Amino acid sequence: MMALLFNLVSYSEVGYRARSPLWLCLTINLSYFITSVIDVTYVYPFWASADLLTLVALFVVQRKREKIPALYYCAVGLVLNAILHIAMYLDLGVAGNYEPWWLWTLYSLGINLNDALMIIVLVVNRDFLGLCRAGRLLKTVFQRQAHG
């Protein structure tokens, strides 16, 4: 919510609008709000589905806008969150495990760290971990291999 408020204020600067993550913030806030008010029996598959639908919505919202670092960081964060949700569902719902183990710690830390990183990148909109730079490097390597 704070990232959304920050971006609402920043959006008033005309020079910043093209690279503003405002629409990403709105999409993510709407998704998180909807998932918090809907009551479901199996929360982990629901949350995983919501993260993946949010991911699709982010790319739809940004399709005609400049691709900004916040988009890619949020995409990675949402995919990782969905994987963690599915892992917890498989552990609890399918395997029936109710004894705490390292996956539960990884889940707790991973979800909170991903959400914190998404909030930070929605405020600063910078490639502070080098994720975009690494993506460009991988793209170059794969293009070179494809062209021989």
Side-chain angles (χ1 to χ4, degrees):
M1 183 60 90
M2 293 306 291
L4 175 60
L5 293 174
F6 175 81
N7 279 292
L8 279 171
V9 171
S10 297
Y11 196 74
S12 63
E13 292 181 37
V14 176
Y16 182 70
R17 283 188 185 168
R19 296 190 42 81
S20 173
L22 175 65
W23 299 108
L24 300 177
C25 286
L26 283 169
T27 305
I28 290 172
N29 272 282
L30 181 63
S31 170
Y32 278 38
F33 174 74
I34 290 170
T35 57
S36 69
V37 297
I38 295 177
D39 188 29
V40 295
T41 305
Y42 300 106
V43 293
Y44 294 113
F46 174 69
W47 288 338
S49 300
D51 283 344
L52 296 175
L53 286 172
T54 303
L55 177 65
V56 170
L58 291 180
F59 280 98
V60 168
V61 163
Q62 284 294 118
R63 78 175 177 271
K64 292 187 180 182
R65 290 180 177 77
E66 182 179 346
K67 303 303 184 259
I68 56 177
L71 174 66
Y72 299 110
Y73 275 80
C74 289
V76 169
L78 289 168
V79 167
L80 291 174
N81 280 354
I83 290 169
L84 289 169
H85 292 315
I86 291 167
M88 284 301 288
Y89 173 71
L90 293 174
D91 185 46
L92 293 169
V94 176
N97 181 27
Y98 293 101
E99 292 295 318
W101 63 300
W102 64 264
L103 176 63
W104 293 15
T105 304
L106 177 67
Y107 175 82
S108 298
L109 292 173
I111 293 292
N112 289 311
L113 184 63
N114 283 333
D115 287 347
L117 286 174
M118 285 191 288
I119 291 167
I120 291 167
V121 79
L122 287 169
V123 170
V124 299
N125 195 22
R126 300 271 188 266
D127 185 18
F128 57 90
L129 295 178
L131 182 68
C132 296
R133 194 174 22 230
R136 285 191 298 271
L137 178 67
L138 285 173
K139 183 178 178 181
T140 303
V141 168
F142 286 125
Q143 284 177 342
R144 285 182 185 163
Q145 286 181 353
H147 295 343

